[in-house]
Amino acid sequence: MAADIRVFTCLSDNFGYLIHDPATGATASVDAPEAGPIIRQLEAAGWTLTDILITHHHHDHVGAVAELKQKYGCRVVAPHDKTTAIADVDLRVGHGDVIKVGELLARVLETPGHTLDHVSYVFDADKAVFAADTLFSVGCGRVFEGTYPMMWDSLLKLRALPDDFRLYCGHEYTASNVKFALTVDGDNEALKARAAEVTRLRAANESTIPSLLGDEKQTNVFLRADDPAVAIKLRMKGATAEQVFGELRERKNKS
Ligand code: ZN
Ligand code: FE
């Protein structure tokens, strides 16, 4: 049976996500940014939390784990500790592991760079990927703990997913990402169309997520660091994908 996926806002710009398995009643929260909005969504739907799938150790992703675990007695799934320990974890996962949320299957991709422990969760049957702070719509996360080549390699893992998969990312950063992307990729028709769509959605106070991975492959310049045309736009003809990616990320940091 198809998963029922709910998208809502936590904190100022984090996304909250609930994935519900109608067959068993199991419900997972991807990360735990803030207890209040997650509990309200669960109660409105009449669901009880069975699992928390943690993507990385940053506080805006794990801050509500203790409170939710206390309230629901749910299982907490998290990546292996690489830099900072995540508390209250029941199951540690790494690349290729498959976990069950009821009868739903989620595959773990290690996607380090933003942090060394960062993982993404792929629900293949539902064509959904939860990439948190690795891949944003029209952007990508800052590289805090890893290296540019490491982050680029993580983006390649996500880019390898099929075009009809939906991207559920960690933050509503799309408008700011579009603004930056237009500075390097302003003649990209798909990007211009996405820019208009994002302006319309944000004006209506609607979420820009999920987006289709196929659209990200066209509009997200960070996913095209190996495209010679992007290197030329940056006056880096002949540079490697890692070098182009690093230049894009540094320009975005300064933007
Ligand atoms: Zn983060
Ligand atoms: Fe975050």
Side-chain angles (χ1 to χ4, degrees):
M1 237 192 271
D4 187 345
I5 299 175
R6 301 286 164 93
V7 180
F8 50 98
T9 302
C10 290
L11 303 173
S12 58
D13 53 33
N14 278 74
F15 283 115
Y17 295 120
L18 291 177
I19 305 156
H20 177 74
D21 176 24
T24 62
T27 304
S29 174
V30 176
D31 287 327
E34 186 183 11
I38 294 170
I39 293 168
R40 280 197 293 279
Q41 289 285 329
L42 286 162
E43 290 180 351
W47 299 342
T48 180
L49 193 65
T50 54
D51 301 271
I52 301 174
L53 311 182
I54 301 293
T55 61
H56 66 296
H57 68 79
H58 282 162
H59 187 73
D60 62 311
H61 297 261
V62 301
V65 168
E67 185 176 344
L68 292 171
K69 186 166 177 174
Q70 165 91 27
K71 183 172 169 71
Y72 295 102
C74 52
R75 176 180 70 157
V76 179
V77 178
H80 295 283
D81 294 329
K82 299 280 172 65
T83 44
T84 305
I86 301 172
D88 302 305
V89 176
D90 300 298
L91 177 66
R92 300 279 179 181
V93 291
H95 210 73
D97 286 344
V98 175
I99 51 160
K100 286 177 112 177
V101 175
E103 289 173 1
L104 307 173
L105 300 180
R107 189 159 55 88
V108 177
L109 295 184
E110 284 184 10
T111 50
H114 176 72
T115 61
L116 293 182
D117 65 354
H118 199 296
V119 298
S120 300
Y121 295 95
V122 183
F123 288 76
D124 288 288
D126 287 283
K127 301 179 188 253
V129 54
F130 294 84
D133 294 0
T134 299
L135 177 62
F136 293 127
S137 181
V138 200
C140 73
R142 279 182 187 256
V143 180
F144 287 121
E145 294 178 5
T147 63
Y148 291 138
M150 181 189 284
M151 186 70 160
W152 170 243
D153 188 59
S154 294
L155 292 180
L156 288 179
K157 289 180 193 169
L158 295 166
R159 193 179 73 175
L161 295 169
D163 287 358
D164 61 349
F165 274 42
R166 282 159 299 152
L167 170 68
Y168 295 87
C169 60
H171 293 267
E172 180 59 88
Y173 288 163
T174 316
S176 138
N177 290 337
V178 163
K179 194 170 158 219
F180 168 74
L182 287 168
T183 67
V184 285
D185 202 20
D187 57 356
N188 178 337
E189 292 302 327
L191 174 60
K192 286 193 251 180
R194 176 68 168 149
E197 181 188 36
V198 168
T199 301
R200 179 181 61 74
L201 288 169
R202 296 310 292 149
N205 206 21
E206 284 178 43
S207 157
T208 62
I209 296 302
S211 63
L212 274 177
L213 217 52
D215 291 337
E216 293 300 328
K217 292 175 196 179
Q218 289 189 291
T219 58
N220 192 328
V221 73
F222 291 94
L223 288 180
R224 299 195 341 273
D226 56 352
D227 177 347
V230 172
I232 288 167
K233 288 176 193 197
L234 296 174
R235 301 181 183 280
M236 294 177 73
K237 191 166 188 273
T240 65
E242 288 84 356
Q243 289 167 333
V244 170
F245 173 73
E247 175 67 18
L248 286 168
R249 192 52 259 181
E250 280 179 22
R251 288 191 188 198
K252 176 68 171 75
N253 291 349
K254 291 180 204 130
S255 73

